[in-house]
Amino acid sequence: GDSVTQMEGPVTLSEEAFLTINCTYTATGYPSLFWYVQYPGEGLQLLLKATKADDKGSNKGFEATYRKETTSFHLEKGSVQVSDSAVYFCAPSTYGGSQGNLIFGKGTKLSVKP
Amino acid sequence: KAGVTQTPRYLIKTRGQQVTLSCSPISGHRSVSWYQQTPGQGLQFLFEYFSETQRNKGNFPGRFSGRQFSNSRSEMNVSTLELGDSALYLCASSLEWGDGYTFGSGTRLTVV
């Protein structure tokens, strides 16, 4: 079945460090790809998305490129801030069924220290 | 524009009781999905409604049910609550497949 694999957390970085969170997926067809972020005590927020191969999604300094050949959608940021501390979820779309329309991994918790 | 609104934000119930959670999607969004989030299991899909019809269903027991009204507002119900039902319940709406979801802030349910 469709699935997504994210790097295990927690990830702890110092402020202004470079961030990469790896994401690979298996999905039927040609999914859209999403990154969501969840701050403590809140719901998920859409961070960025890409809908076709080689598309680059970007928002708030975060970027991710849709790599069809490697079925990956790695999240990067050049200089993290303390306010980026949150849990990040990679989510490919799927065609519904018992998983719903998006497949969520376990998430990667990021802690940024001043 | 208004986001996805979930009520109540917090709820404490006793084992054996039932509970109803409410979700108002973004205006114009006809698809509403529900998720359960726990530290151990992560995000688990409950069900999706589209134009008042259940379109997809996750692997949860029949104690979990939902419905959607003609104005796209949705409710989910959990009957005969168990301690393991304690979780953050998230509602999300979308305009169409491939657009991604907009999530509400969730309802934190504690079963004692």
Side-chain angles (χ1 to χ4, degrees):
Chain A
D2 297 351
S3 65
V4 59
T5 302
Q6 286 181 236
M7 59 189 293
E8 292 285 328
V11 174
T12 303
L13 296 173
S14 297
E15 207 165 23
E16 299 184 3
F18 184 84
L19 168 72
T20 299
I21 300 178
N22 291 335
C23 169
T24 57
Y25 65 91
T26 58
T28 306
Y30 207 155
S32 294
L33 303 174
F34 303 89
W35 275 101
Y36 283 85
V37 58
Q38 185 175 31
Y39 299 101
E42 299 184 14
L44 278 69
Q45 299 177 22
L46 179 61
L47 182 59
L48 52 83
K49 72 176 185 181
T51 58
K52 61 181 186 295
D54 301 324
D55 260 4
K56 177 184 284 187
S58 62
N59 186 25
K60 299 180 181 180
F62 291 90
E63 292 182 338
T65 301
Y66 193 141
R67 300 292 187 198
K68 188 172 186 292
E69 64 279 7
T70 55
T71 61
S72 64
F73 193 51
H74 305 320
L75 182 68
E76 296 182 336
K77 187 175 185 182
S79 176
V80 294
Q81 306 300 311
V82 172
S83 58
D84 294 327
S85 297
V87 180
Y88 293 82
F89 294 90
C90 178
S93 62
T94 185
Y95 290 103
S98 64
Q99 293 177 300
N101 294 327
L102 287 178
I103 307 166
F104 286 99
K106 293 192 177 297
T108 301
K109 184 175 182 179
L110 170 66
S111 294
V112 181
K113 307 298 184 186
Chain B
K1 64 181 179 183
V4 177
T5 303
Q6 290 189 246
T7 56
R9 284 297 307 273
Y10 302 93
L11 208 48
I12 300 176
K13 289 287 187 179
T14 303
R15 270 182 303 173
Q17 288 186 312
Q18 74 166 17
V19 67
T20 299
L21 312 182
S22 180
C23 172
S24 293
I26 289 175
S27 178
H29 286 193
R30 292 190 292 166
S31 171
V32 175
S33 294
W34 289 88
Y35 285 83
Q36 181 195 67
Q37 187 178 32
T38 59
Q41 298 298 319
L43 281 161
Q44 293 187 284
F45 171 71
L46 281 156
F47 26 66
E48 183 215 3
Y49 286 87
F50 184 87
S51 294
E52 302 179 65
T53 300
Q54 187 180 85
R55 191 158 68 172
N56 294 299
K57 186 178 189 305
N59 297 318
F60 276 80
R63 299 185 297 108
F64 292 82
S65 63
R67 59 178 175 169
Q68 186 180 34
F69 302 95
S70 58
N71 62 358
S72 292
R73 190 177 72 85
S74 178
E75 290 181 346
M76 67 163 283
N77 184 277
V78 188
S79 63
T80 319
L81 284 165
E82 301 176 359
L83 295 179
D85 297 333
S86 295
L88 179 66
Y89 290 86
L90 293 165
C91 168
S93 72
S94 67
L95 190 58
E96 57 184 68
W97 184 86
D99 273 356
Y101 289 154
T102 301
F103 281 82
S105 297
T107 294
R108 172 75 62 184
L109 171 65
T110 302
V111 182
V112 298

